[in-house]
Amino acid sequence: MNVKVAFTLFLTFLVISCDGLPRKEYERVTKLRETINKYEELKTFAQNDFDIAEQGYAEAEIIIKEENKDEAQRAKELLLTAETNYNLVFEKGLPPYAELLKKQTDDSMTNAQFIKANVMYNDEYNKANAAYDKAIALYNAETKDYKVLVDSLYIAKDAYTTLYNKTKEQFDRSDEALNRVKERLAELEAMIKELESLEQATN
């Protein structure tokens, strides 16, 4: 490949790469948005800020996906506005959401204990407890990193909920099998009674 061809390819690459669209900003704000959407109830504590962010993000996303270079600067401004408002959702929503999530996690742990998940799945239950202990240590810390706290509570809650569902499924299967046995015994009992009635009638 000669120098002229190589230089031409390099210029072409630059044109493609530097199309003016705020792709890095889009990726950054998209990750921020995904984190908020992971915690479904978080946005409810700052709904107005979330709605403003969503509107800006949606408009910017259209510009980027359509590769509308004429609107590149507007897309960047929209993304920055969205980012500001997504961060406000975190700022306003994380403390009250942490309290809500703590209660939900405690409830999930109680449900798992009640259904005897610790007996059915002892190793997994101990891992869930370890995740819970870590979350509680963060919750009781004098200075709270709410993003880390919420993530830890979420992991613990998910672990207990999974254990509860697995254990309940096992019990449901056992109940179903027991009911089938009872139904079969009832059928056999009815058949025996019918045979006894026939025997008495023939005597």
Side-chain angles (χ1 to χ4, degrees):
M1 182 184 296
N2 61 41
V3 176
K4 186 176 180 181
V5 172
F7 185 69
T8 302
L9 288 173
F10 176 70
L11 286 177
T12 303
F13 175 77
L14 280 180
V15 170
I16 293 171
S17 303
C18 307
D19 57 9
L21 292 169
R23 298 186 188 278
K24 287 184 180 179
E25 289 86 347
Y26 175 67
E27 289 176 10
R28 186 177 69 242
V29 178
T30 297
K31 287 179 182 177
L32 192 63
R33 179 175 182 264
E34 286 171 353
T35 302
I36 290 174
N37 284 326
K38 176 183 176 182
Y39 309 120
E40 186 62 34
E41 294 158 304
L42 174 61
K43 66 192 74 168
T44 63
F45 295 100
Q47 192 66 56
N48 187 55
D49 298 298
F50 180 76
D51 291 343
I52 293 171
E54 285 287 272
Q55 183 177 349
Y57 179 85
E59 290 181 32
E61 187 174 45
I62 291 170
I63 293 170
I64 290 170
K65 287 188 174 180
E66 291 181 351
E67 298 190 355
N68 186 349
K69 298 171 189 177
D70 294 336
E71 294 287 314
Q73 183 58 37
R74 181 166 174 269
K76 185 173 183 177
E77 291 169 2
L78 286 165
L79 286 170
L80 290 175
T81 299
E83 185 174 33
T84 298
N85 283 277
Y86 283 136
N87 281 321
L88 282 173
V89 174
F90 278 120
E91 184 181 327
K92 296 177 183 178
L94 280 174
Y97 179 61
E99 294 298 327
L100 174 64
L101 194 54
K102 164 71 165 52
K103 183 182 181 307
Q104 292 175 342
T105 305
D106 287 342
D107 290 343
S108 295
M109 180 179 65
T110 301
N111 291 337
Q113 289 174 341
F114 180 78
I115 206 169
K116 304 298 182 186
N118 57 318
V119 177
M120 297 285 288
Y121 301 99
N122 185 256
D123 289 343
E124 291 178 54
Y125 186 83
N126 288 337
K127 289 178 182 177
N129 278 346
Y132 179 79
D133 290 342
K134 178 184 174 183
I136 293 306
L138 292 165
Y139 180 81
N140 291 329
E142 188 173 339
T143 303
K144 293 179 175 61
D145 183 335
Y146 279 102
K147 284 188 179 180
V148 177
L149 169 59
V150 161
D151 194 51
S152 297
L153 285 169
Y154 187 86
I155 289 169
K157 176 192 168 188
D158 186 61
Y160 285 126
T161 301
T162 298
L163 281 169
Y164 173 82
N165 290 333
K166 285 174 66 174
T167 306
K168 186 177 184 302
E169 186 179 346
Q170 289 292 329
F171 281 129
D172 288 346
R173 286 178 182 173
S174 298
D175 287 344
E176 186 180 344
L178 182 61
N179 287 334
R180 284 201 298 267
V181 170
K182 287 179 179 178
E183 287 172 5
R184 184 59 180 156
L185 287 172
E187 290 172 1
L188 289 172
E189 187 177 347
M191 288 174 63
I192 290 169
K193 286 182 178 178
E194 187 176 345
L195 288 171
E196 287 175 348
S197 298
L198 286 171
E199 187 178 350
Q200 288 173 2
T202 54
N203 288 335

